[in-house]
Amino acid sequence: MVSVTTLACLTISTLLIAAMPVVLLRKLKPRFGFERREVILGIAVFAFFSMIVERGLHGLVLSNATTVGWLANPVVFVAYGALAAGVCEEVGRFIAMKWLIARQPHTLANAGTSLGYGIGHGGAEAWLVGVFVQMQWIVYALLANNNQLDEHFTSAPLESLMRLHMVLGNLSPQYAALFIVERAAAFVFQLGFSVLMWQMLRERFRYTLPAMIAAHALISLPAAAFQARLIPLLAADAVYLVFGLIVVRALLRYFRTGGGRPGAASPTLHPEH
């Protein structure tokens, strides 16, 4: 039985995360002059490189007895999880941004382009990894409260059904609060990664891709450490809350000082070759 209070908190947290990218898109698009195609490109890149390529990589690794044995070591598991996320997402982001620059070189002068892309990339993550999953748990909770959950999973193994009931039993308002922290921080990081990569490309930094992979992998470490049961969830979320606030402050300062205005970049900048 999931309490009404918990269901209300889960619903509110889901609606807040669902609305976050939509509200930002509507408010920031007129101000920073990015286009819908940049937002759509961000959505497509996350959907393909994270939901298909990265999951395909995990399936390949977990289908091999040797690599499964290596992953039994928590340190190897954490390193692999962090690097897999960094490589897959940042390669996709890099390809997308290089394509944008090659297609319309003048957009390089507008860091707002990266903001539009980041809203798409981060928004796709918020919905695909957060909102849809949370909605699923809300539906399961409603079924459980109406004593209909078991009959909807008659073909499921008993162990899986017991695990489902255990997760539902652990749902709480605190879980809803942590969900907001995790998803909002992840969204902010995607904005930060997008703006940072775009700025590196504007400055023609030679090691943009390796640097971004390393940065993404570092941010992924707490989540991977939690999955490896090396740290508690509360500790991982505390790290993300602190760093998320730092990234928000950095983004606000960057755009307030003119970094995101069309034409703010040096007119001598050209796309990388």
Side-chain angles (χ1 to χ4, degrees):
M1 183 74 177
V2 180
S3 70
V4 174
T5 301
T6 296
L7 276 172
C9 291
L10 293 174
T11 302
I12 292 170
S13 65
T14 304
L15 291 174
L16 287 173
I17 296 302
M20 178 177 58
V22 178
V23 171
L24 279 179
L25 174 62
R26 295 187 63 179
K27 286 186 172 295
L28 300 182
K29 184 176 180 294
R31 180 177 179 182
F32 292 102
F34 55 82
E35 302 293 336
R36 287 186 180 180
R37 66 173 177 272
E38 291 140 17
V39 180
I40 294 171
L41 184 61
I43 294 171
V45 167
F46 179 82
F48 180 73
F49 282 90
S50 182
M51 306 302 290
I52 297 177
V53 174
E54 186 178 347
R55 290 190 178 189
L57 174 63
H58 293 332
L60 184 64
V61 169
L62 294 175
S63 66
N64 185 287
T66 301
T67 53
V68 169
W70 292 343
L71 293 177
N73 184 318
V75 175
V76 175
F77 179 88
V78 170
Y80 164 76
L83 281 173
V87 170
C88 292
E89 288 197 49
E90 296 311 319
V91 166
R93 197 187 321 264
F94 184 78
I95 292 172
M97 289 189 171
K98 293 288 284 186
W99 179 81
L100 280 174
I101 295 168
R103 190 164 182 255
Q104 292 186 314
H106 67 275
T107 61
L108 193 62
N110 180 18
T113 301
S114 64
L115 196 59
Y117 174 89
I119 290 174
H121 194 125
E125 182 179 29
W127 274 80
L128 295 175
V129 179
V131 174
F132 290 151
V133 173
Q134 190 83 324
M135 288 173 62
Q136 186 180 51
W137 284 114
I138 292 172
V139 171
Y140 290 164
L142 291 172
L143 290 173
N145 286 353
N146 292 317
N147 296 316
Q148 297 176 345
L149 184 65
D150 290 358
E151 64 185 64
H152 278 77
F153 291 94
T154 53
S155 60
L158 181 60
E159 182 181 352
S160 298
L161 191 57
M162 291 177 63
R163 188 180 301 114
L164 184 60
H165 279 283
M166 183 176 67
V167 172
L168 289 173
N170 290 329
L171 294 179
S172 64
Q174 291 76 17
Y175 169 87
L178 290 177
F179 170 79
I180 293 177
V181 171
E182 291 173 4
R183 292 299 101 214
F187 181 79
V188 167
F189 293 145
Q190 294 294 5
L191 289 181
F193 288 144
S194 299
V195 172
L196 179 58
M197 178 176 283
W198 193 255
Q199 185 63 31
M200 286 181 176
L201 292 174
R202 295 170 85 181
E203 296 175 0
R204 299 197 293 180
F205 181 57
R206 180 177 296 182
Y207 304 106
T208 295
L209 184 56
M212 292 304 305
I213 290 174
H216 198 129
L218 285 173
I219 287 295
S220 299
L221 281 177
F226 164 70
Q227 292 175 349
R229 299 181 180 179
L230 295 177
I231 61 173
L233 178 61
L234 192 59
D237 285 345
V239 172
Y240 286 135
L241 177 60
V242 171
F243 279 94
L245 292 173
I246 291 172
V247 173
V248 168
R249 182 177 180 182
L251 287 172
L252 289 174
R253 183 174 182 180
Y254 175 77
F255 285 102
R256 281 174 177 170
T257 55
R261 289 201 310 265
S266 170
T268 60
L269 282 176
H270 298 285
E272 274 188 337
H273 297 290

